[in-house]
Amino acid sequence: MRWLFAAILAIPIFVRAEVRIAKLDEKAQEGVVELRGVSGDVFDPSIWEKGKLNWVADARHPMMEPREGAFRNIYAPSAVEVNGGWRLFYGGWDGVASGNDRIYSAMTSDWLEIKDRKTVIEHGVFQHVCNVSAVEARDGSFMLACTAYPDANGLNKPASFVWKVGEAAREAKRSDGIMIVGYEKFAQADMNGMNVIVREDGEMMRLYFGNFRDFGKTYRASSEDGKRWTLDGKVLDGNLMVNDVKRLRVRGEWWYLMGLHHNGDELVYSLSRDGMKFPPARQLFKCRGETDRFMVAMGWVVSDERVLGVLYGAGAKGSLDQNRIFARWLQKRVVWVGEDGTRVEAKGARGPDRVEFSIEGRGRFEVLQEDGETTAGTTEIIELKRGEAYSIDN
């Protein structure tokens, strides 16, 4: 599925330099100039291997707040591309009456508006069910790998659920717990927030997981039913918590993009052609400030073979119980160059395909690829006014 742009009612298109620009009939947010057409291109492993990535923070900081209610703490985003947009799953307390983690679902077509927020997994017999990782099945249902607490030994363990759109919320049961055969430490394992599910070809699924009682290692297991898993082995070293893995096909070759965190002020990633062997993780990006100081979860936003961005749960409190969902978008880097030579970077994004500038007057846009360095071209000199929206095409 390709990214669906809002309908463009273009009025004059300025003469092409290297990048065309069109003024839109639609209005921008008050006080800013909005530029569309800036989302990233097809996944390019080389810029990820170099660590050259132009991340732009969403202007809504956070992008998603909990609903009003007694308990407000949301994190663990997992976005699945579906017909018409993305189905977003997340966990925590979304304005609920008790401090028990649950799993929620919402829908968005463009990341500008998030609709249809609802509970899909109630904690049931557990105190908490959270840290969701979701994939879509061929029948349109969703397989959800979550953390359930406590098990019979008072520890965190993965559980799996199947949920279909339109169904009522499910009550979690003991029988939803999974088994990992071949991992001798499973019975006494404390597996909290490290349960990432990936669908391979056919019915085979992979589970990337970690264990706080065997910390410093990330493992993989395989299953065809999502309940009984068989250990494949260790895939990564490092005191990190795996939160998402995406498979991306580039020029006939599969790549595995793993996202991780350590409850600190940064997110990290590892990229590999082999789902069983990942190189040491490197920094993805750091927090913007105190608001997202403690980063506790992350999930990739993918469309076709493009990584559009990252959603992440974070908060200002070391207690990790006042989190919100934030977003960074992997975009072309756009710089406004005024006629007087003033250079202005975008002040923020609004979803994966829009950036905002606090500018007006005459000048041009310089456009670089999503590595932030490779020149794509420039627009003609144009006159901008705040409150207007434009679109580029190169």
Side-chain angles (χ1 to χ4, degrees):
M1 175 188 315
R2 296 298 296 170
W3 172 253
L4 299 178
F5 294 98
I8 294 177
L9 300 174
I11 50 190
I13 294 180
F14 300 91
V15 178
R16 182 182 180 91
E18 290 178 284
V19 177
R20 294 187 303 163
I21 184 165
K23 183 180 176 184
L24 309 180
D25 278 350
E26 298 176 43
K27 294 298 183 182
Q29 297 289 313
E30 185 177 355
V32 300
V33 169
E34 181 180 277
L35 189 64
R36 305 181 192 178
V38 298
S39 61
D41 292 326
V42 172
F43 183 73
D44 181 356
S46 68
I47 65 174
W48 290 79
E49 290 178 322
K50 295 174 184 175
K52 299 291 186 179
L53 303 163
N54 184 55
W55 294 107
V56 183
D58 200 284
R60 300 159 293 178
H61 194 73
M63 186 195 75
M64 187 173 174
E65 293 268 10
R67 291 176 289 191
E68 292 300 320
F71 288 85
R72 307 178 73 238
N73 174 39
I74 58 173
Y75 58 106
S78 182
V80 181
E81 189 180 21
V82 296
N83 238 355
W86 290 264
R87 173 71 57 180
L88 173 62
F89 296 92
Y90 58 101
W93 312 328
D94 196 11
V96 289
S98 66
N100 303 94
D101 290 343
R102 301 159 170 87
I103 305 300
Y104 308 91
S105 168
M107 188 68 195
T108 182
S109 62
D110 51 15
W111 297 104
L112 301 178
E113 186 177 8
I114 297 174
K115 304 177 180 179
D116 194 28
R117 291 166 69 159
K118 63 181 68 175
T119 305
V120 295
I121 306 294
E122 289 282 1
H123 63 89
V125 299
F126 299 101
Q127 185 176 342
H128 300 295
V129 175
C130 200
N131 299 297
V132 60
S133 174
V135 295
E136 187 177 18
R138 290 178 177 175
D139 65 358
S141 65
F142 295 89
M143 173 70 76
L144 312 178
C146 306
T147 301
Y149 172 84
D151 70 357
N153 297 316
L155 300 167
N156 293 279
K157 286 292 193 303
S160 68
F161 306 88
V162 175
W163 178 79
K164 291 184 178 181
V165 175
E167 286 184 344
R170 282 200 50 191
E171 293 277 343
K173 306 183 295 292
R174 294 287 176 192
S175 58
D176 294 315
I178 71 164
M179 171 62 68
I180 302 179
V181 177
Y183 184 53
E184 295 179 354
K185 299 179 181 180
F186 181 73
Q188 295 302 317
D190 186 17
M191 302 166 67
N192 185 10
M194 297 178 280
N195 40 256
V196 175
I197 192 170
V198 180
R199 184 174 293 281
E200 297 263 6
D201 299 325
E203 297 303 315
M204 185 59 67
M205 290 179 287
R206 313 294 191 189
L207 183 73
Y208 290 89
F209 69 92
N211 171 11
F212 280 114
R213 293 187 168 185
D214 183 22
F215 204 43
K217 307 178 188 70
T218 298
Y219 296 93
R220 194 186 82 172
S222 296
S223 174
E224 291 186 349
D225 64 6
K227 290 297 181 184
R228 183 180 176 86
W229 299 80
T230 301
L231 181 70
D232 297 321
K234 185 184 72 171
V235 301
L236 176 68
D237 290 308
N239 292 331
L240 299 164
M241 288 162 267
V242 60
N243 265 195
D244 201 1
V245 178
K246 290 288 188 283
R247 293 174 78 224
L248 299 149
R249 193 169 179 84
V250 181
R251 294 183 291 276
E253 184 175 29
W254 286 107
W255 290 81
Y256 293 79
L257 179 61
M258 178 181 287
L260 313 97
H261 73 95
H262 53 82
N263 284 346
D265 64 352
E266 65 175 357
L267 300 177
V268 300
Y269 71 97
S270 180
L271 178 66
S272 176
R273 296 174 183 168
D274 183 350
M276 278 298 297
K277 186 177 182 180
F278 287 80
R282 64 189 303 167
Q283 186 180 92
L284 185 67
F285 51 73
K286 291 182 70 68
C287 66
R288 286 184 63 191
E290 288 305 310
T291 305
D292 61 346
R293 165 68 179 79
F294 295 96
M295 297 169 139
V296 300
M298 62 85 69
W300 306 112
V301 178
V302 172
S303 177
D304 289 334
E305 303 306 328
R306 294 185 295 160
V307 178
L308 297 179
V310 179
L311 307 178
Y312 62 99
K317 301 293 185 181
S319 54
L320 310 182
D321 59 0
Q322 296 182 33
N323 300 302
R324 308 295 186 254
I325 294 177
F326 299 80
R328 303 269 181 106
W329 305 106
L330 181 58
Q331 298 181 333
K332 296 178 177 67
R333 182 182 169 203
V334 185
V335 182
W336 170 254
V337 184
E339 280 194 319
D340 62 357
T342 301
R343 298 177 65 85
V344 181
E345 299 270 355
K347 63 177 289 187
R350 194 169 291 271
D353 195 53
R354 306 178 185 209
V355 286
E356 298 176 344
F357 291 84
S358 293
I359 53 173
E360 59 183 8
R362 287 179 59 79
R364 59 186 170 83
F365 286 108
E366 289 183 358
V367 182
L368 301 97
Q369 301 294 1
E370 59 264 37
D371 63 1
E373 297 179 348
T374 304
T375 299
T378 61
T379 68
E380 284 284 294
I381 297 288
I382 56 176
E383 180 83 30
L384 297 183
K385 293 182 180 179
R386 295 187 183 188
E388 294 181 340
Y390 298 79
S391 179
I392 60 170
D393 176 17
N394 67 314

